[in-house]
Amino acid sequence: MTQLNTFRSGPDETGHFGIYGGRFVAETLMPLILELNEAYEASKKDPEFAARLSSLLKHYVGRESPLYFAERLTEHFGGAKIYLKREDLNHTGAHKINNCMGQILLALRMGKKRIIAETGAGQHGVATATVAARFGLPCAIYMGETDIERQKPNVFRMKLMGAEVVPVTSGSRTLKDAMNEALRDWVTNVDDTFYIIGTVAGPHPYPQLVRDFQNVIGEEVRRQIMDQEGRLPDTLLACIGGGSNAMGLFHPFLDDEDVDIIGVEAAGHGIDSGQHAASLKGGRPGVLHGNRTYLLQDDDGQIIEAHSISAGLDYPGIGPEHAWLNDTGRVNYVNATDDEALEAFQLCCKLEGIIPALESSHALAHLKKIAPNLPKDHIIVVNLSGRGDKDIFTVADALGVEL
Amino acid sequence: MSETRIDRRFRALKQEGRAAFVTFVMAGDPNQETAFRIMQGLPEAGADIIEVGMPFTDPMADGPAIQQAGLRALASGTTLKSTLSMIREFRKDNDDTPVVLMGYYNPIYSYGVDRFLEDARDAGVDGLIVVDLPSEEDEELCLPAMKAGLNFIRLTTPTTDDKRLEAVLKNTSGFIYYVSIAGTTGAAAPKASDVAQSLQRIKNATDLPVAVGFGIRSGAQAAEIAEIADGAVVGSALIDRIAAAENDDEAVRSVMELASEISAGIRSTVKH
Ligand SMILES: Cc1ncc(COP(=O)(O)O)c(C=O)c1O
C-alpha cells in the first residue's frame, strides 16, 4: 500500500491489496485483462461514461434504493436502531445489477460482441442476462448443475431474457466450477467476448472495478443516513459470498474510524463441521481464479467444496480486498450458520413484511448477537442485498413444507 | 544458470537434426502405480522430454480430458509429495530424460515455494510450467526457480503480441512452449501453416528452442509440427488412451502404442 493513513487507496499498480490480489491467469488471458484495465481507467476519466451509467442506474435499475428504518426489528431486539439498505428493491432484485450495468457499458465501449458470466444463486446470472438483453448482446451464463437444480426460477428468468444457461458438470458443480468454465470459455473466445465477473474476485482489475461499481451502495447510505439521522452509522453489516455487496457498502466508510464494520460469512453446518463457506475463518491464503486470497483448501492445496444453504455464498474463496481488510483488522469478519440464517429469514418476513434473500439473511442473523446489547441510539445499517423470492423452494424444503 | 538436462537434450537433438517429442501425462493417473509404469516406459517409446502434470481441483485452462485425468489422480490419493516421490523413483534408473512439472500454482504455494524448489531439484526435476503464473507474477516462483537451477518454461499463445513477447521471454529458459490456439487443452489443432507464421515471430525474438502443443493427436500431425518446430507436445491424446483403457495393463500398453506411433512420425522428419 502506498499510503498508510487510508484504507481506500488499494489496489496498487500490480493489482495487490497487501499480499492479496494479483493477476494469476494463463498467458492467453493476460493481454485481455491488461486491455480491460486500460479501458476501465479511460472510462473513469470520461464524464459521458459516468453520466450514462448514472442515468441507467436511476431510470432502469431504480436507484437510489431506500434506506429503511426497520422499526419492528428494532423493537424486537430492543437495542440498537436498525436500518435496512434496500438493494432488494433494485430491478432484478439484488445488488448484482449495479456491477453488471457498469461492466456492460465497458464491454460496449471496448466493442465486445458477446457476454459471458458465472452464477451461483442465479442473481448475477439474471442481472447479466438482463443487461445483455437491454443492450442486445448474446450471452452465455455458466451455472453449476447443483445450483441449476436449487435455483430454478432464476434459470427460467435468464432463459426468458434470451440467455443461454450452460450447465456445468465439472468438479463440484457449483459456483467455483462455473467460474472455471467461464474462464475456459474466455480463453477460447478471446476476440469478441467480455467476461462480466459477479463479485469482487478474479484477476486485477476485476476486484477493483466491481467494487467501484458497487460503491454506489455505501455512497447512498452516507447521504441517506445524514438526512435521516444527521450522522454516520455506528455499525455496518453485510453478508459475504465473494464480497461485492459488502465491499460496496463498506468501502466508502473504511476511513471513518468510528464506524464499526462487520462482514458475515456463511458457516453452513458450523465451522467445526467442515461444511461451510467461511474462507476467512476456515481457510488460509492461496491462489485461485486469478487472485491470491483466503481459500478453503486441504493440506495439499486442493480446493475444498464450500457448503451453504445459500447458493450465492457457496464459494470457497473471498475477494482479495476483504482478505486484506481482515488481516489489517479494519473489518471484523464473523459468520452465521444455515439455521441462524433461516431463523433470521423468517423473522424478517414476519416482522417487516420483507422476504430477504438467504444470502442477506446471514447479515440479518448477526443482529441477534449484537443489537439487543447496544444502546438505543446506536445505529446499525444492514445491507439487504437481495430479495428472497428465489429462495422460497429452498426454505420450504428446509422447513419441511411441501409446495 | 548451469546447463540442465533440458538444455543438453535440445542441444543433442539439434545435432541429430530432428525435433523433440514432448509427452504430457498426469501424475497418479489412473492410479499411482500405473502412472509410474507409464512414465518409466515413455523414454523407450520415444519420448525425449516428459512433462508430468501435478493434479489440481480447478484446472481452469484445461479441457475435459486433462480435467478428468486430474480428478482420477486426486481420487487415487496423488499429492505434490507423491508426485515428487514418483520422479525420484524414475531417476533411479533414468538420469538423462528431462522431466518438467506442469500444473497450477496453488499446490506449490501451499507446499511452500522454497521447500518445493529444493525437493523438486532433489527429486530430479529439471523444469516447471505453471499455467497461472504469467510474467507479471515472476517474483512468486519464476525468479526463485531460476536461482534454484530449474528451468522456468513459459507458455506463449496467439494472444501474446510482440510487446508482451519480450516480457514473456525475459525470464524464460529451457524452451518456449507455444500454445498454438487460444483455447483449453485438448481442443482441435490449427493448420500447420498458421503455426509456422507465429513460430517465425517467436524465433525472431529468441534463440531458445520452441515446442508446439495443443491438439496434436497422431504421428502424421506430429510430423507436420516437427518439420517447423523444435518440439511437438502431446498430452490429451495420450490421456484419452488411459481413460479408454479397461485395465491398468491396457492403459500402459495403449499409451506406449500411441507414443511409439507419434515418435516414429517425428523421427521421420528431418529439419530443414
Ligand atoms: C442477494 C445476494 N446477496 C449476496 C450475494 C453474495 O455475493 P457478494 O458477496 O459478492 O455480494 C449474492 C450472490 O449471488 C446474492 O445473490
Side-chain angles (χ1 to χ4, degrees), chain A residues 93-96 119-124 198-200 239-246 311-313 357 359-360 385-387 390:
Chain A
H95 67 293
K96 297 285 180 186
T119 196
Q123 288 304 103
H124 175 59
T199 191
V200 285
C239 70
I240 301 203
S244 68
N245 86 86
L313 304 185
E359 290 79 14
S360 326
S385 56
R387 67 172 183 231
K390 68 184 175 60

Side-chain angles (χ1 to χ4, degrees), chain A residues 35-352:
Chain A
E35 184 198 355
L36 173 62
N37 196 39
E38 253 172 55
Y40 177 56
E41 290 301 325
S43 77
K44 284 201 273 194
K45 296 185 190 104
D46 178 359
E48 256 173 59
F49 184 89
R52 193 166 180 215
L53 177 57
S54 147
S55 166
L56 282 159
L57 287 179
K58 178 167 181 211
H59 300 291
Y60 187 76
V61 175
R63 299 206 73 91
E64 58 182 35
S65 69
L67 179 66
Y68 160 72
F69 172 48
E71 204 173 338
R72 298 247 293 147
L73 274 174
T74 300
E75 262 172 37
H76 174 82
F77 291 116
K81 239 179 144 171
I82 298 162
Y83 281 85
L84 303 178
K85 178 59 174 167
R86 299 291 308 275
E87 291 299 299
D88 61 313
L89 293 178
N90 294 336
H91 179 41
T92 72
H95 67 293
K96 297 285 180 186
I97 191 125
N98 305 331
N99 164 48
C100 290
M101 196 54 89
Q103 288 202 47
I104 197 133
L105 292 187
L106 267 182
L108 293 170
R109 194 186 164 92
M110 294 171 76
K112 300 291 177 183
K113 299 281 183 268
R114 175 176 175 266
I115 299 296
I116 57 171
E118 84 295 335
T119 196
Q123 288 304 103
H124 175 59
V126 166
T128 303
T130 300
V131 297
R134 167 66 183 76
F135 291 99
L137 294 182
C139 113
I141 306 291
Y142 288 89
M143 189 167 185
E145 256 192 349
T146 309
D147 291 335
I148 287 185
E149 194 48 47
R150 55 179 170 174
Q151 302 287 337
K152 281 189 190 134
N154 273 345
V155 174
F156 190 56
R157 272 184 200 117
M158 289 184 258
K159 288 184 178 166
L160 283 173
M161 290 183 284
E164 180 197 357
V165 179
V166 188
V168 175
T169 56
S170 57
S172 60
R173 305 173 184 212
T174 57
L175 183 53
K176 91 174 163 74
D177 308 283
M179 196 147 177
N180 289 332
E181 216 52 58
L183 284 164
R184 289 179 188 123
D185 180 314
W186 203 23
V187 165
T188 311
N189 300 292
V190 289
D191 293 331
D192 63 343
T193 297
F194 190 100
Y195 181 12
I196 299 189
I197 291 185
T199 191
V200 285
H204 176 67
Y206 280 104
Q208 176 186 13
L209 75 85
V210 175
R211 173 198 75 197
D212 291 351
F213 290 137
Q214 291 293 1
N215 270 350
V216 65
I217 301 173
E219 283 157 9
E220 285 179 6
V221 167
R222 276 188 93 89
R223 278 201 306 275
Q224 290 168 315
I225 202 74
M226 288 309 287
D227 280 352
Q228 296 180 48
E229 294 279 352
R231 66 177 182 93
L232 293 183
D234 300 296
T235 302
L236 301 176
L237 263 181
C239 70
I240 301 203
S244 68
N245 86 86
M247 196 54 74
L249 174 64
F250 297 170
H251 196 260
F253 292 95
L254 287 177
D255 287 338
D256 297 291
E257 263 174 51
D258 295 336
V259 180
D260 189 25
I261 305 183
I262 304 174
V264 187
E265 292 191 290
H269 296 317
I271 305 279
D272 295 337
S273 73
Q275 291 192 303
H276 60 81
S279 5
L280 288 176
K281 286 286 133 31
R284 61 193 165 86
V287 172
L288 180 71
H289 293 152
N291 62 115
R292 173 166 22 235
T293 188
Y294 281 80
L295 298 172
L296 302 182
Q297 53 185 320
D298 69 13
D299 290 343
D300 198 41
Q302 305 295 341
I303 307 305
I304 295 175
E305 289 169 31
H307 166 83
S308 168
I309 189 169
S310 136
L313 304 185
D314 210 346
Y315 181 69
I318 181 170
E321 192 166 9
H322 284 293
W324 177 72
L325 288 169
N326 175 71
D327 288 11
T328 57
R330 174 62 186 98
V331 177
N332 179 19
Y333 293 89
V334 299
N335 50 72
T337 63
D338 288 355
D339 289 345
E340 289 168 335
L342 269 171
E343 186 190 323
F345 176 96
Q346 295 172 79
L347 192 70
C348 185
C349 291
K350 293 215 170 95
L351 291 184
E352 293 292 348

Side-chain angles (χ1 to χ4, degrees), chain A residues 23 27 180 184 287 292 301, chain B residues 57-59 106 137 140 164:
Chain A
R23 291 173 287 202
E27 170 60 23
N180 289 332
R184 289 179 188 123
V287 172
R292 173 166 22 235
Chain B
T57 38
D58 293 80
N106 198 54
E137 303 291 350
E140 295 283 338
R164 274 199 69 69

Side-chain angles (χ1 to χ4, degrees), chain B residues 27-110:
Chain B
D29 175 33
N31 51 59
Q32 296 188 43
E33 194 206 317
T34 311
F36 178 60
R37 283 168 62 199
I38 290 172
M39 188 182 180
Q40 264 189 319
L42 279 171
E44 200 173 306
D48 296 301
I49 294 173
I50 301 177
E51 290 176 6
V52 175
M54 300 173 280
F56 183 47
T57 38
D58 293 80
M60 61 180 183
D62 284 302
I66 294 181
Q67 287 174 39
Q68 292 300 323
L71 291 180
R72 287 192 296 269
L74 290 173
S76 80
T78 308
T79 60
L80 191 44
K81 209 167 160 201
S82 73
T83 302
L84 293 174
S85 302
M86 174 175 82
I87 292 162
R88 199 173 296 113
E89 273 307 298
F90 174 83
R91 277 280 171 253
K92 283 186 178 160
D93 36 48
N94 182 320
D95 193 36
D96 47 47
T97 304
V99 173
V100 175
L101 280 178
M102 178 162 181
Y104 296 82
Y105 186 40
N106 198 54
I108 297 173
Y109 182 67
S110 169

